[in-house]
Amino acid sequence: MSKIRSMSLTTRIMIGMVLGVAVGFIFQAILAGEDDYLIPLGLFSLPIKAFFVDGLFHVGGQIFIASLKMLVVPLVFVSLVCGTCSLSDPKKLGRLGGKSIGLYLVTTAIAITVAITLALLFNPGEGIGLPSQASYDAKEAPTLARVIIDMFPTNPFEAMAKGNMLQVIVFALLFGIAMALSGKAGKRVATVFEDLNTVILKLVTLLMNIAPYGVFFLMAKLFTTIELNLIVSLAKYFGVVVLALLLHAFVNYTLLLKILTGLNPLTFLAKMKHTCLFAFSTSSSSATMPITLETATKKLGANNSVASFTIPLGATINMDGTAIMQGVATVFIAQVFSVDLTISDYLMVILTATLASVGTAGVPGVGLIMLAMVLNQVGLPVEGIAIIIGVDRLLDMTRTAVNVTGDCMVTCVVAKSEGELDENIFNDPNAAKDLEDYHKSID
């Protein structure tokens, strides 16, 4: 036990992930199409599916995800208020917003361009037949005008209760600006928020120590229930999406970071390891946000006044991983239905997906809604989404890891341009180790 406790949090999460995958595969092999299987234990038996998969794994995994999501709204609101009220130059907020949104849109456009190029190169849709009963009920996405209107909350407490992050961000920015302009009263309130921020970050650290167990439950359930034969039949599509995601994370992001900041991309990637593992296991940028923010400030050296703005914004509108899925899926579905798309169609896909990454921010099932919009734009059958839904859950894990990497890359670029990046922390190989030691010290 002492040896386990002495391991870094990243190592423990990796062990939990590997064990979860192994248990999932074992249980799937035991069930092998059966409704359930009873494990004999003397006087009584334990049903694998009812007790473990739908019981222990489901409950444990959902409690873990819920505990992370519990932190999102208070962390974003308090951190963003602290960062905003500390800005001495009001114009700085406008610069932060312009740079952040511009970079997020540029990386999304690059992501979907790479995805379409690779899909046209490998032709993943050739030889795949459409399932006879394939169907998909496409939900209507909100218009961009509606999204802009809905960014401003009529009731900020309702926005927090519902987890409407765009509204929470807007209210936090306005509240922080008001505090900065309120003189002594604003300074007194700011002191309270700084203390709240310290307490919330301590809570984040406490909850991180259940992460290995939560990751084990999530992986065990996923790999017990996922249809492996579907992955095999869609292996080419699956492989092209993963390849595009890896290229975007390891090539595009690192090149942009090097060109725009001069920082060492290898150092950046090394310090993103823990956050990416976490994002992969939770499949949620929002649930990973506390870890992403901690990484950006304590490992990468970005000032909280910048990171508290760019990270929540990125978790809301940065859809690079989703854009990659859309690019490959559009080509894949077009090939499955033998529809030839023109250059103008592909340009329309790039434009639509890039703008939709902001227009559908915060909408449940955002990836499939955005894909339905893109398919409608170029005249492809939306029913084609049904072909890829089965493997989308597994791909979603990788997409999330790419998204949080993009959030931190943009944070470093914006912080560097504003003179708010501590390069000593960024270049310090022990900064990440110190954070791991801090997590272990309260275990």
Side-chain angles (χ1 to χ4, degrees):
M1 182 62 71
S2 60
K3 289 183 178 180
I4 294 177
R5 291 167 66 90
S6 66
M7 294 178 180
S8 70
L9 182 61
T10 303
T11 302
R12 284 182 284 162
I13 289 176
M14 179 63 79
I15 291 173
M17 184 180 296
V18 172
L19 289 177
V21 171
V23 169
F25 278 136
I26 292 170
F27 279 5
Q28 183 165 140
I30 293 174
L31 290 171
E34 299 289 333
D35 290 336
D36 210 337
Y37 180 86
L38 297 177
I39 301 176
L41 295 173
L43 298 176
F44 61 95
S45 301
L46 278 181
I48 286 181
K49 191 170 187 302
F51 181 81
F52 289 103
V53 181
D54 297 333
L56 182 63
F57 297 163
H58 175 71
V59 172
Q62 291 307 305
I63 289 175
F64 172 57
I65 293 294
S67 68
L68 292 174
K69 290 186 174 180
M70 170 186 70
L71 297 171
V72 172
V73 171
L75 177 66
V76 170
F77 179 69
V78 174
S79 180
L80 199 49
V81 168
C82 289
T84 305
C85 72
S86 67
L87 294 177
S88 56
D89 181 9
K91 294 181 181 178
K92 185 175 180 179
L93 187 60
R95 293 200 307 271
L96 287 178
K99 291 176 182 178
S100 302
I101 294 173
L103 278 169
Y104 284 134
L105 290 178
V106 167
T107 58
T108 301
I110 293 173
I112 195 167
T113 302
V114 168
I116 289 175
T117 302
L118 288 176
L120 290 173
L121 181 64
F122 289 101
N123 298 317
E126 289 186 354
I128 302 291
L130 176 68
S132 58
Q133 300 299 321
S135 63
Y136 177 75
D137 182 18
K139 299 177 182 178
E140 184 178 355
T143 63
L144 186 56
R146 184 73 257 168
V147 170
I148 293 173
I149 293 171
D150 289 342
M151 285 172 59
F152 294 85
T154 55
N155 184 339
F157 296 103
E158 181 183 14
M160 292 179 188
K162 292 184 176 180
N164 189 322
M165 294 313 301
L166 280 177
Q167 292 187 356
V168 172
I169 290 171
V170 169
F171 179 66
L173 292 175
L174 295 175
F175 195 84
I177 292 171
M179 283 172 55
L181 299 176
S182 297
K184 291 182 179 179
K187 291 180 180 178
R188 289 195 297 270
V189 177
T191 302
V192 175
F193 270 85
E194 291 292 347
D195 290 341
L196 279 173
N197 196 43
T198 301
V199 173
I200 290 172
L201 291 177
K202 173 63 75 173
L203 180 58
V204 170
T205 304
L206 289 170
L207 289 176
M208 284 310 95
N209 287 281
I210 69 169
Y213 309 102
V215 168
F216 169 79
F217 292 139
L218 291 171
M219 294 295 101
K221 181 179 180 183
L222 174 63
F223 282 89
T224 302
T225 56
I226 196 168
E227 296 181 26
L228 298 181
N229 60 333
L230 186 58
I231 297 177
V232 173
S233 65
L234 296 177
K236 202 170 183 181
Y237 163 79
F238 189 90
V240 172
V241 175
V242 171
L243 176 61
L245 289 168
L246 294 177
L247 280 175
H248 191 59
F250 290 104
V251 178
N252 296 339
Y253 283 154
T254 54
L255 283 176
L256 285 171
L257 183 72
K258 185 65 177 178
I259 292 170
L260 297 177
T261 67
L263 297 171
N264 189 334
L266 296 180
T267 301
F268 171 78
L269 291 175
K271 293 192 174 186
M272 286 301 302
K273 177 178 62 175
H274 169 57
T275 308
C276 287
L277 273 176
F278 211 87
F280 182 83
S281 60
T282 61
S283 301
S284 171
S285 295
S286 294
T288 311
M289 197 188 306
I291 315 303
T292 312
L293 186 57
E294 189 178 46
T295 298
T297 54
K298 295 184 179 179
K299 292 185 181 181
L300 299 174
N303 192 290
N304 187 64
S305 64
V306 174
S308 62
F309 179 84
T310 57
I311 296 298
L313 184 66
T316 308
I317 71 170
N318 180 26
M319 300 290 176
D320 289 3
T322 303
I324 286 172
M325 178 272 288
Q326 292 165 3
V328 177
T330 300
V331 176
F332 174 77
I333 291 171
Q335 291 173 349
V336 166
F337 286 95
S338 301
V339 176
D340 293 324
L341 298 180
T342 64
I343 295 296
S344 61
D345 288 330
Y346 289 121
L347 292 175
M348 183 60 67
V349 169
I350 295 172
L351 179 62
T352 303
T354 303
L355 295 178
S357 68
V358 177
T360 55
V363 177
V366 62
L368 296 180
I369 290 175
M370 288 170 64
L371 180 55
M373 291 173 59
V374 170
L375 294 179
N376 281 326
Q377 193 68 37
V378 293
L380 289 173
V382 176
E383 292 78 9
I385 296 177
I387 308 174
I388 62 173
I389 281 181
V391 296
D392 193 65
R393 174 68 179 85
L394 199 55
L395 288 173
D396 191 31
M397 300 162 71
T398 313
R399 294 202 300 264
T400 306
V402 171
N403 285 344
V404 298
T405 304
D407 294 345
C408 285
M409 187 278 292
V410 168
T411 298
C412 288
V413 172
V414 174
K416 174 74 173 179
S417 70
E418 292 290 328
E420 299 285 357
L421 183 75
D422 189 334
E423 293 191 40
N424 290 327
I425 294 178
F426 182 93
N427 293 315
D428 183 5
N430 293 319
K433 183 179 182 300
D434 291 342
L435 188 57
E436 294 281 11
D437 291 341
Y438 176 59
H439 282 303
K440 285 191 290 183
S441 68
I442 52 89
D443 188 6

